[in-house]
């Protein structure tokens, strides 16, 4: 009876960890849960009671922290193998639902890549629609930039210079967004656990 | 006021110490595998017994997974007498090379720092 209650307690914990493993494949989730189960069973050393399981689970950490640590490390490890634009973007997307920091990183990346794509788009479109792509001053303090079907009335400021300007700004912003993504993901991995950190044994 | 400042300083010191130890944790985990394969709990116990490192148990597996992904360790599930399978980790050839390199870098760093810190010993200022 006590053994059943202990196993039920363990399974409840593992189900809670599973809920915090969003972003991992089913095979990865199975691997994580199997290993945690084995760890707890090893730790209780044959004395499977609700109390020993509770002690083992407390040492592992909360399901939320354990889940997050697993997802962040695995996503970061995949990103380190593929540091391309797509590799970093895929990692950012996988971490978006994990925490507030992950969601913030996703928003910043989305904005950064969006702005970069807009600048690059302007540079690419200029030769095809020269009269519709540009930077206009429509009032003393009002500017309008982009590819517009009905260009604003006003002075066009950049002319053909918009091509190199768009390319440089687009590539620079895209590069910085990519670097920022890598930096943040590595920082999320390095971040000390809020629960007991690596500490000298007492 | 002073109590608050002391608490804040201790908190900062604690964070710094955590970062320092976390930086060395990868080396410590790889070093535990030098003599042969181990499963997670064995590694944790060795870290505590041999190096005085008490690692939050839930963090060891993500770290091992990263080391595996980087090609420094390999793992295999083994049916154990305990009645459940255990996942054993062992160093790859690349891992052996890396742990030697890391140990060399760590020792060099520690020696340099010890020389630098020597004047602090016994200086009451």
């Amino acid at each position: 009876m006590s053994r059943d209650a202990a196993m039920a307690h363990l399974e409840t914990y593992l189900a809670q960890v599973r809920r915090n493993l969003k972003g991992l494949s089913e095979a990865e989730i199975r691997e994580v849960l199997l290993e945690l189960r084995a760890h707890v069973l090893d730790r209780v050393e044959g004395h499977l009671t609700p109390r020993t399981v509770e002690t083992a689970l407390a040492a592992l950490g909360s399901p939320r922290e354990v889940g997050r640590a697993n997802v962040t490390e695995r996503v970061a490890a995949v990103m380190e193998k593929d540091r391309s634009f797509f590799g970093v973007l895929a990692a950012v997307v996988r971490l978006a639902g994990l925490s507030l920091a992950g969601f913030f990183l996703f928003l910043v990346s989305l904005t950064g890549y969006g702005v970069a794509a807009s600048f690059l788009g302007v540079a690419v479109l200029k030769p095809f629609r020269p009269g519709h792509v540009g930077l206009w001053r429509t009032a003393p303090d009002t500017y309008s930039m982009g590819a517009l079907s009905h260009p604003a009335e006003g002075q066009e400021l950049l002319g053909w210079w918009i091509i190199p300007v768009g390319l440089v700004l687009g590539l620079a912003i895209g590069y910085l967004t990519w670097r920022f993504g890598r930096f943040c993901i590595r920082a999320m991995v390095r971040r000390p656990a809020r629960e007991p950190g690596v500490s000298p044994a007492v | 006021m002073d109590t608050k400042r002391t608490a804040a300083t201790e908190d900062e010191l604690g964070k710094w110490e955590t970062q320092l130890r976390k930086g060395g944790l990868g080396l410590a985990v790889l070093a535990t595998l030098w003599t042969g394969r181990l499963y997670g709990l064995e590694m944790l116990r060795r870290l505590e017994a041999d190096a005085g490192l008490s690692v939050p148990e839930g963090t060891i597996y993500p770290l091992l997974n990263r080391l595996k992904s980087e090609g420094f360790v390999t793992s295999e599930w083994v049916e154990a007498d305990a009645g459940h399978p255990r996942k054993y980790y062992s160093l790859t050839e690349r891992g052996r090379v890396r742990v030697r390199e890391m140990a060399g870098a760590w020792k060099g760093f520690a020696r340099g720092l010890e020389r630098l810190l020597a004047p602090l010993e016994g200086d009451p200022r």
Side-chain angles (χ1 to χ4, degrees):
Chain A
M1 189 64 185
S2 166
R3 191 181 170 85
D4 289 346
M7 282 309 289
H9 190 28
L10 173 57
E11 293 307 326
T12 303
Y13 176 88
L14 293 176
Q16 288 169 346
V17 173
R18 172 184 269 276
R19 280 200 286 279
N20 286 283
L21 293 175
K22 286 175 193 154
L24 298 189
S25 70
E26 193 53 40
E28 287 174 318
I29 291 173
R30 210 168 30 246
E31 185 87 1
V32 170
L33 298 181
L34 261 178
E35 192 159 32
L36 291 175
R37 181 182 284 111
H39 178 92
V40 172
L41 294 177
D42 275 327
R43 206 175 188 283
V44 301
E45 295 173 337
H47 303 290
L48 194 60
T49 67
R51 185 180 289 266
T52 56
V53 167
E54 181 59 44
T55 306
L57 296 181
L60 269 177
S62 74
R64 187 184 169 92
E65 287 293 328
V66 170
R68 280 185 181 184
N70 273 281
V71 175
T72 309
E73 283 277 10
R74 281 168 189 263
V75 169
V78 172
M79 184 199 74
E80 293 299 343
K81 277 185 178 172
D82 177 8
R83 298 179 193 171
S84 70
F85 161 78
F86 292 108
V88 175
L89 187 61
V92 168
V93 171
R94 287 179 78 184
L95 293 176
L98 192 67
S99 62
L100 200 60
F103 184 66
F104 175 73
L105 173 61
F106 174 72
L107 283 185
V108 171
S109 298
L110 200 67
T111 306
Y113 288 131
V115 171
S118 301
F119 277 116
L120 292 173
V122 162
V124 169
L125 279 175
K126 180 69 176 175
F128 300 102
R129 305 194 71 191
H132 292 264
V133 175
L135 172 67
W136 291 274
R137 182 161 61 197
T138 53
D141 291 325
T142 309
Y143 296 88
S144 178
M145 184 181 182
L148 308 172
S149 49
H150 302 290
E153 286 183 5
Q155 186 187 0
E156 208 284 308
L157 299 175
L158 286 175
W160 290 101
W161 277 103
I162 202 165
I163 294 178
V165 168
L167 286 175
V168 168
L169 284 176
L171 290 173
I173 293 170
Y175 175 75
L176 290 175
T177 307
W178 172 74
R179 287 294 300 259
F180 181 72
R182 275 177 57 191
F183 171 79
C184 287
I185 291 170
R186 286 173 176 169
M188 286 164 83
V189 171
R190 284 194 303 267
R191 187 175 65 90
R194 265 177 290 167
E195 285 164 49
V198 180
S199 57
V202 184
Chain B
M1 185 71 180
D2 280 345
T3 314
K4 271 186 185 174
R5 190 175 296 158
T6 308
T9 308
E10 278 178 6
D11 191 37
E12 281 171 18
L13 188 65
K15 280 182 186 169
W16 174 78
E17 194 174 345
T18 301
Q19 285 290 2
L20 181 68
R21 289 176 178 276
K22 202 168 183 184
L25 187 58
L27 167 61
V29 166
L30 288 174
T32 61
L33 295 171
W34 183 257
T35 51
R37 71 178 192 179
L38 296 173
Y39 58 92
L41 191 61
E42 280 182 313
M43 264 181 259
L44 288 166
R45 287 178 172 160
R46 188 165 292 183
L47 284 170
E48 188 159 352
D50 295 353
L53 283 173
S54 177
V55 180
E57 296 183 10
T59 62
I60 188 93
Y61 298 110
L63 173 61
L64 284 165
N65 184 70
R66 176 154 57 86
L67 294 171
K68 185 180 169 186
S69 169
E70 289 168 348
F72 299 135
V73 302
T74 183
S75 67
E76 59 175 336
W77 283 97
V78 177
E79 282 298 333
D81 296 338
H84 60 268
R86 285 176 177 148
K87 193 175 182 183
Y88 279 87
Y89 293 88
S90 46
L91 283 176
T92 61
E93 203 45 53
R94 193 166 166 227
R96 287 194 168 274
V97 172
R98 172 53 70 98
V99 72
R100 275 185 187 279
E101 290 170 347
M102 288 171 84
W106 181 273
K107 283 178 184 170
F109 172 72
R111 273 196 297 268
L113 208 56
E114 268 179 28
R115 278 197 299 274
L116 193 67
L117 297 179
L120 276 71
E121 294 289 324
D123 190 333
R125 276 181 297 176

